[in-house]
Amino acid sequence: DAGVTQSPTHLIKTRGQHVTLRCSPISGHKSVSWYQQVLGQGPQFIFQYYEKEERGRGNFPDRFSARQFPNYSSELNVNALLLGDSALYLCASSSEAFGVQPQHFGDGTRLSIL
Amino acid sequence: QQPVQSPQAVILREGEDAVINCSSSKALYSVHWYRQKHGEAPVFLMILLKGGEQKGHEKISASFNEKKQQSSLYLTASQLSYSGTYFCGVPPRGTSYGKLTFGQGTILTVHP
């Protein structure tokens, strides 16, 4: 079975631009979470979606938004990019939103802001 | 609040043991452990639940001390493949495990 897939793998943008990152969860998984990982730090929670509804939001500005589609895939959008948005963006899926469910991470999208 | 991991880094030779700790200033209900190799995705290792139940699929062990608000990951007879950065993650109380707050990581290096 395919794991969590993310696209693109790498992206270079300039300040002020916007970006859309995509995630396809493991088949049958309904919950998708997004994390930002800055070099040398642990992943930081951005959003969780389950059944197309937002179930949680981390401490990120409104420039960050996301959505989940009927096939459970998800997009993360970031507007007005800042240099500090340079990071590895990870998507994780689990079969349900609650209960003892491990998260399965994709390889991430490495975003560089010039 | 972010859990605190210790030590920050460990260097071992194959066959040696290591312990990685994860402490929280808030009550813990579960602790999730992941390993991330350079340039790769974090890989799930184990979930420890309040009450002592473990859910995992690798041959590693861990403990969960509710009183001390701490979890420890035990890596015995280390192998080269154990090298990587280990993260503990904790969920908000009573809510989904899809909103983990991760520690800063412990870098484990195993030499031949």
Side-chain angles (χ1 to χ4, degrees):
Chain A
D1 283 344
V4 177
T5 57
Q6 293 186 242
S7 62
T9 54
H10 294 85
L11 205 49
I12 298 174
K13 292 285 188 178
T14 57
R15 282 178 295 175
Q17 288 188 311
H18 75 272
V19 68
T20 299
L21 310 180
R22 295 178 174 82
C23 171
S24 293
I26 291 172
S27 178
H29 283 194
K30 302 175 183 176
S31 174
V32 170
S33 298
W34 287 95
Y35 291 84
Q36 180 195 65
Q37 186 175 26
V38 175
L39 195 62
Q41 297 182 20
Q44 188 173 359
F45 172 72
I46 310 175
F47 285 109
Q48 184 193 20
Y49 275 79
Y50 178 72
E51 294 282 12
K52 296 176 289 180
E53 290 189 10
E54 182 182 304
R55 295 301 181 105
R57 183 184 183 115
N59 189 23
F60 280 81
D62 291 343
R63 300 184 294 108
F64 288 76
S65 64
R67 55 179 175 167
Q68 187 177 34
F69 300 97
N71 66 353
Y72 303 113
S73 66
S74 178
E75 282 183 355
L76 176 69
N77 294 284
V78 186
N79 293 324
L81 289 166
L82 303 174
L83 291 178
D85 295 332
S86 294
L88 179 67
Y89 288 85
L90 295 164
C91 172
S93 75
S94 58
S95 55
E96 298 290 338
F98 291 89
V100 185
Q101 303 288 339
Q103 291 188 85
H104 300 271
F105 284 85
D107 287 336
T109 294
R110 185 160 298 281
L111 176 63
S112 300
I113 310 301
L114 302 179
Chain B
Q1 260 174 324
Q2 185 181 36
V4 176
Q5 292 184 230
S6 63
Q8 291 187 334
V10 184
I11 300 176
L12 301 173
R13 293 213 175 272
E14 271 188 295
E16 293 182 336
D17 303 339
V19 180
I20 300 172
N21 300 305
C22 175
S23 299
S24 173
S25 58
K26 295 165 60 173
L28 287 177
Y29 296 88
S30 68
V31 179
H32 303 225
W33 286 96
Y34 287 81
R35 177 174 61 212
Q36 185 177 30
K37 294 182 179 287
H38 183 69
E40 298 181 10
V43 173
F44 168 75
L45 295 176
M46 181 173 296
I47 294 175
L48 296 160
L49 304 175
K50 191 176 180 180
E53 185 181 354
Q54 282 189 21
K55 282 184 176 281
H57 58 76
E58 284 207 13
K59 294 181 180 178
I60 57 175
S61 63
S63 64
F64 183 16
N65 189 320
E66 297 165 37
K67 266 190 172 181
K68 291 185 177 179
Q69 295 170 186
Q70 176 177 310
S71 175
S72 296
L73 191 70
Y74 303 98
L75 300 153
T76 56
S78 59
Q79 305 169 17
L80 294 176
S81 61
Y82 286 9
S83 292
T85 303
Y86 289 76
F87 294 101
C88 67
V90 298
R93 175 184 177 180
T95 58
S96 121
Y97 292 167
K99 307 172 191 172
L100 296 177
T101 300
F102 285 94
Q104 81 281 15
T106 295
I107 301 172
L108 179 73
T109 305
V110 182
H111 290 297

